[in-house]
Amino acid sequence: MTREWTRRGLLAACGVSVIGAAGSAAAATDECSASVATNARTGGGEPKVEVPSAAGVEIPIHTTCHEGTELKVELRSTSDREIFLYSPTATVGPQGRAVATVDLTEIDVGSPFEVFIFRSDRDSHPQIGSLAHGEVVADPPGEPAAIDGTAPRDPDGDGLYEDLNGNGETDYADVVQFYEHRDDPAVARRVDAYDFDLDGDVDRADVVALFERV
């Protein structure tokens, strides 16, 4: 079986045309959007980010903005019990990624918050993204749980766990395993680890994005 046949079969299963998926991602324009890399789900299944009550907390952000775009990220409390507002900044790097760093050592565990993302290089500071659910927790999420009996790995240390079968490399077997288990609770709990197309969620497009990494 040739690689191209495998690719066609996979893309067809994901409902994506071969021609449409063969090209590179659309080039970023002056108008852009952003989303927080979530790592948990609420009781109702909504995307959520959990961060520790600690110094140097990193908030990973995925954007469609040009590299070098300056962002302002606001963490706003949603509880009357503890009111806070933090406004760290971040600079968009390669592949549209950015990281905002904030000190949450003074914030109680269990405190809920929302996240708002703005472009700070615009006079009007337009909002380009938000996340409704966030919570300060005692400890950050650890390694992703096993999928189909094997612990996934992050071969290149980029925070994405491409090696789902844990054999030390990213190969077609990982793509198959991800396709078959992309709706597993273990994946839903750690969206940040499997969001290969960097759009803030996990779906069939991430299967295609993982395939393109093989």
Side-chain angles (χ1 to χ4, degrees):
M1 182 179 292
T2 65
R3 186 176 190 276
E4 181 61 22
W5 170 250
T6 299
R7 182 175 186 276
R8 288 176 181 274
L10 173 68
L11 298 184
C14 292
V16 179
S17 69
V18 174
I19 295 176
S24 60
T29 64
D30 190 51
E31 299 300 324
C32 60
S33 60
S35 61
V36 177
T38 60
N39 55 22
R41 295 277 177 174
T42 67
E46 296 293 323
K48 176 183 177 183
V49 62
E50 294 182 347
V51 297
S53 177
V57 174
E58 294 186 346
I59 310 293
I61 301 166
H62 300 155
T63 82
T64 60
C65 302
H66 288 297
E67 184 173 349
T69 301
E70 298 295 326
L71 307 176
K72 182 176 77 168
V73 182
E74 291 190 355
L75 278 67
R76 304 177 187 172
S77 62
T78 56
S79 170
D80 294 335
R81 180 169 56 87
E82 184 170 25
I83 300 175
F84 60 85
L85 170 63
Y86 289 93
S87 300
T89 59
T91 302
V92 177
Q95 297 183 314
R97 300 185 186 185
V99 176
T101 304
V102 62
D103 187 334
L104 297 175
T105 51
E106 297 183 358
I107 304 303
D108 293 338
V109 169
S111 297
F113 61 88
E114 292 180 327
V115 183
F116 298 88
I117 307 170
F118 304 86
R119 286 188 63 165
S120 57
D121 62 343
R122 297 290 185 84
D123 292 338
S124 59
H125 296 291
Q127 180 179 318
I128 59 173
S130 64
L131 178 68
H133 304 287
E135 183 181 359
V136 178
V137 296
D139 298 299
E143 296 292 313
I147 296 176
D148 195 26
T150 58
R153 297 182 182 179
D154 176 11
D156 54 7
D158 65 351
L160 295 170
Y161 285 71
E162 300 96 337
D163 179 17
L164 276 83
N165 62 14
N167 68 351
E169 61 182 5
T170 303
D171 52 27
Y172 181 65
D174 296 306
V175 181
V176 173
Q177 185 162 331
F178 184 46
Y179 175 73
E180 293 177 346
H181 298 278
R182 66 190 184 280
D183 295 324
D184 284 10
V187 174
R189 286 194 295 269
R190 288 300 307 274
V191 172
D192 61 318
Y194 305 106
D195 182 19
F196 300 114
D197 67 351
L198 307 178
D199 69 348
D201 61 14
V202 173
D203 52 25
R204 291 189 176 192
D206 293 292
V207 179
V208 177
L210 177 59
F211 183 91
E212 297 297 340
R213 291 169 176 254
V214 174

